[in-house]
Amino acid sequence: MIYDVVIVGAGITGAAIARELSRYKLAVLLLEKEAEPAFGVSKSNSGIIHAGTQNPPASVKAWLCVEGNRLMREEIAADLGLNFVQCGQLIAVFDLGDLPELEKIKKEGEALGIKGLEIVDRAWLDEREPNLGPEVQAALYVPSAGIISPYRFVYALVENAVKNGVELKTSQKVSAIRRGADGVFELETGGEKHNSRFLVNAAGLFADEISAMAGAPTFKITPRKGEEYLLDKKREHIANHIIFPLPTKTSKGILIIKTSDGNPMIGPTALDVEDKTDLSTTESGLAEVLSGARRMMPSISKSDIIAYFAGLRPVSGKDFIIRHEDSVPGLINAAGIQSPGLTSAPAIAVMVAGLLARHGLPLEPKAEFHRLRPRPAHLFQVPLEETCRLVAKNPAYGDIVCRCELVSSQEIYEAIKRGATTLDGIKFRTRAQAGRCHGGFCTTRIIKIMQEELGFPVTAVTKRGPGSELIKDERK
Ligand SMILES: Cc1cc2nc3c(=O)[nH]c(=O)nc-3n(C[C@H](O)[C@H](O)[C@H](O)COP(=O)(O)OP(=O)(O)OC[C@H]3O[C@@H](n4cnc5c(N)ncnc54)[C@H](O)[C@@H]3O)c2cc1C
């Protein structure tokens, strides 16, 4: 079979493009090298739906971020049943001498169409952010910013794209790309071959390699590492907004981040590294994050930290690379999707669809596009009365598997039904194993449910795909 479009990479960029293309009468294949979508950069970020401030106003990413934020607030969160929380953002200054800088960010934001920006003084802040330290003097209030679970955002897009006819194939690493005499791309993934008229490269950190394989070695991706530190849920209400300091040249600085699942987070650092697999956290990263966060909120302490991770931003120059490669007709690169890629993805998807159309792909809308996705129930997100109603309807909601995060067996069943095949896939969809005990209590229960539901032998259960099995068969 020849697909109309093959998309390489099921992170937020590829997932959003797949969902956008699923509106049209097209045969689309989404290929992912990992065992599940969202296992690349899109799983390790701050989960902020940025308003669009702090980007160079003339950049592509600036206007895509503003448009992505609008799409989230006005359409996508409601359509896909996402828990988007519009908590707003503050950009704090420690010296009133920096007010002109805030004024500049405000003016640039307004020029991009960001609404409601306001410079606020210490009295305003005292009323709304009682835990701010004495050094903070004033801030820019940005009401349209918010927070979301990044992986559940990816899963929702993929699920909806598949519902609308997109084919998803995981554990399919693209290792070679050839071009037939008829111009059709032939992608090799281990033992399989996939043919397509158009190729969309959304391979994150590896987008430079995919573009080169397709015949366009036109850019290089350099990973920019960001270390993040998650705080205990008991500090959930430490901040009411996402709090930023004034940005530096290469990063938005160390933030205090509300997350949509409750645990606040502090970070990220920003350090260019060579190795695309280097996800280590460091003593120096921890020290930088703690001192940056404590300057804004001195009550944050090292003992609040319950988990940490690092993510790698796929950086190529200062902007996103979203273009048709004229030297390889039919190849669209959606590459260098550094921050704010999570926010921008829905707008990137619209732009990529436009590029495909301009280069010869007819976009004919489907008569029946399923725009809506039912919102999965998560006990940790609902009030007690709703929990009682769910348990009365289905007792499996009362069978608690993960005590730290209040996750029931019904939520694990639901996650498996929606595509989870690994322990991380279950964690990212439900939060089971994400609490203080890191799965010490619930992992064996989850493994048992996976065995029963997926028909796996216990030795085939993995954390994140082949090579991460938990239980070894000594007879082999
Ligand atoms: C620390 C940190 C904090 C951030 N915070 C924010 C934030 O708060 N808000 C925001 O908007 N943005 C944020 N970002 C940026 C955001 O996370 C990225 O822009 C976004 O996740 C990039 O998504 P992607 O789909 O392009 O890449 P990925 O998520 O990496 O997806 C690419 C996919 O391609 C697959 N792939 C690669 N090679 C192959 C191959 N050969 N064959 C098949 N598949 C392949 C990978 O496995 C991967 O799943 C942050 C980034 C970091 C690192």
Side-chain angles (χ1 to χ4, degrees), residues 8-15 31-34 36-50 65 150 154 172-175 189 202-207 209-210 213 224-228 252 255 257 268-269 309-314 320 334-344:
V8 181
I12 193 68
T13 309
L31 282 178
E32 171 54 52
K33 74 177 166 65
E34 299 297 329
E36 294 193 44
F39 278 18
V41 185
S42 299
K43 75 170 185 320
S44 320
N45 54 61
S46 309
I48 300 169
I49 297 300
H50 291 282
C65 182
V154 177
Q172 298 269 336
K173 180 174 177 177
V174 175
S175 53
T189 56
L205 288 163
F206 303 93
E209 296 169 28
I210 295 291
M213 273 184 219
R224 183 168 296 153
K225 193 200 277 190
E227 298 180 28
E228 308 251 26
K252 299 187 175 81
L255 327 177
I257 307 157
T269 54
F309 62 86
L312 298 171
R313 305 166 184 88
F320 298 159
I337 309 297
Q338 50 186 284
S339 191
L342 185 74
T343 312
S344 309

Side-chain angles (χ1 to χ4, degrees), residues 87 155 168 181 200 204 243 254 320 332 351 364 397 446 449:
C87 55
Y155 294 134
L168 166 70
V200 174
I243 307 180
I254 301 298
F320 298 159
I332 308 278
M351 183 173 171
E364 194 185 330
Y397 277 112
I446 298 170
I449 296 174

Side-chain angles (χ1 to χ4, degrees), residues 274-471:
E274 284 298 316
D275 182 355
K276 290 179 178 179
T277 60
D278 175 7
L279 294 174
S280 59
T281 50
T282 58
E283 276 299 324
S284 58
L286 171 62
E288 182 190 339
V289 167
L290 260 181
S291 81
R294 293 187 55 168
R295 190 163 182 213
M296 296 190 289
M297 280 199 177
S299 71
I300 292 173
S301 90
K302 197 173 172 182
S303 64
D304 290 327
I305 296 171
I306 64 158
Y308 38 84
F309 62 86
L312 298 171
R313 305 166 184 88
V315 175
S316 185
K318 290 197 163 72
D319 209 346
F320 298 159
I321 297 171
I322 304 171
R323 65 180 178 222
H324 177 262
E325 292 288 345
D326 291 341
S327 60
V328 184
L331 169 65
I332 308 278
N333 277 316
I337 309 297
Q338 50 186 284
S339 191
L342 185 74
T343 312
S344 309
I348 293 174
V350 175
M351 183 173 171
V352 166
L355 282 170
L356 285 165
R358 228 172 303 145
H359 289 87
L361 180 71
L363 298 185
E364 194 185 330
K366 278 180 186 150
E368 197 182 353
F369 169 63
H370 304 280
R371 191 171 53 84
L372 305 179
R373 165 188 177 262
R375 183 183 188 136
H378 294 296
L379 297 188
F380 74 87
Q381 283 174 349
V382 301
L384 190 58
E385 313 82 72
E386 174 65 3
T387 303
C388 296
R389 203 189 55 75
L390 288 167
V391 175
K393 220 170 92 188
N394 180 350
Y397 277 112
D399 171 23
I400 299 303
V401 172
C402 170
R403 292 187 262 168
C404 303
E405 296 295 314
L406 195 68
V407 184
S408 64
S409 59
Q410 180 56 33
E411 289 160 81
I412 313 283
Y413 294 131
E414 185 69 20
I416 293 171
K417 209 169 84 195
R418 287 171 184 261
T421 55
T422 64
L423 285 164
D424 274 0
I426 296 216
K427 175 162 87 176
F428 296 157
R429 285 172 178 85
T430 66
R431 289 196 60 76
Q433 318 155 73
R436 236 201 204 275
C437 90
H438 299 291
F441 285 101
C442 62
T443 303
T444 50
R445 270 294 310 275
I446 298 170
I447 290 177
K448 188 153 183 296
I449 296 174
M450 287 173 78
Q451 265 186 284
E452 287 162 5
E453 293 298 301
L454 293 163
F456 282 178
V458 71
T459 47
V461 174
T462 66
K463 181 162 166 51
R464 64 177 83 87
S468 61
E469 290 77 9
L470 270 76
I471 297 164

Side-chain angles (χ1 to χ4, degrees), residues 73-336:
R73 283 183 291 110
E74 296 180 7
E75 294 174 26
I76 291 178
D79 286 358
L80 298 182
L82 293 168
N83 185 32
F84 166 65
V85 183
Q86 193 182 329
C87 55
Q89 163 193 348
L90 295 169
I91 306 171
V93 290
F94 303 111
D95 180 347
L96 290 176
D98 285 332
L99 278 179
E101 268 306 303
L102 278 192
E103 284 288 357
K104 182 168 171 264
I105 296 173
K106 179 170 180 278
K107 263 207 185 99
E108 288 176 351
E110 283 166 348
L112 284 163
I114 305 169
K115 301 253 179 326
L117 301 178
E118 189 187 345
I119 293 186
V120 296
D121 61 12
R122 183 70 212 205
W124 188 102
L125 292 167
D126 282 339
E127 242 177 73
R128 293 159 180 92
E129 287 291 357
N131 294 316
L132 278 179
E135 278 196 79
V136 176
Q137 304 294 324
L140 177 64
Y141 172 51
V142 186
S144 55
I147 47 178
I148 199 160
S149 156
Y151 10 84
R152 287 202 285 279
F153 186 10
V154 177
Y155 294 134
L157 288 162
V158 172
E159 241 181 84
N160 191 246
V162 169
K163 165 102 182 154
N164 284 297
V166 169
E167 227 182 296
L168 166 70
K169 290 192 175 187
T170 53
S171 301
Q172 298 269 336
K173 180 174 177 177
V174 175
S175 53
I177 302 173
R178 281 177 287 275
R179 204 82 202 263
D182 50 2
V184 167
F185 291 99
E186 184 185 281
L187 283 79
E188 207 174 291
T189 56
E192 289 189 41
K193 288 193 167 63
H194 313 277
N195 296 316
S196 182
R197 274 184 268 278
F198 286 85
L199 174 60
V200 174
N201 172 16
L205 288 163
F206 303 93
D208 49 353
E209 296 169 28
I210 295 291
S211 187
M213 273 184 219
T218 50
F219 58 92
K220 181 178 182 305
I221 300 283
T222 305
R224 183 168 296 153
K225 193 200 277 190
E227 298 180 28
E228 308 251 26
Y229 294 82
L230 271 156
L231 309 187
D232 196 294
K233 247 192 184 155
K234 67 181 186 221
R235 305 303 318 259
E236 179 166 0
H237 301 292
I238 189 168
N240 297 314
H241 303 83
I242 315 152
I243 307 180
F244 291 59
L246 266 185
T248 67
K249 277 206 170 76
T250 52
S251 103
K252 299 187 175 81
I254 301 298
L255 327 177
I256 297 166
I257 307 157
K258 277 180 86 61
T259 68
S260 68
D261 290 352
N263 303 66
M265 202 155 67
I266 54 177
T269 54
L271 184 71
D272 287 350
V273 294
E274 284 298 316
D275 182 355
K276 290 179 178 179
T277 60
D278 175 7
L279 294 174
S280 59
T281 50
T282 58
E283 276 299 324
S284 58
L286 171 62
E288 182 190 339
V289 167
L290 260 181
S291 81
R294 293 187 55 168
R295 190 163 182 213
M296 296 190 289
M297 280 199 177
S299 71
I300 292 173
S301 90
K302 197 173 172 182
S303 64
D304 290 327
I305 296 171
I306 64 158
Y308 38 84
F309 62 86
L312 298 171
R313 305 166 184 88
V315 175
S316 185
K318 290 197 163 72
D319 209 346
F320 298 159
I321 297 171
I322 304 171
R323 65 180 178 222
H324 177 262
E325 292 288 345
D326 291 341
S327 60
V328 184
L331 169 65
I332 308 278
N333 277 316

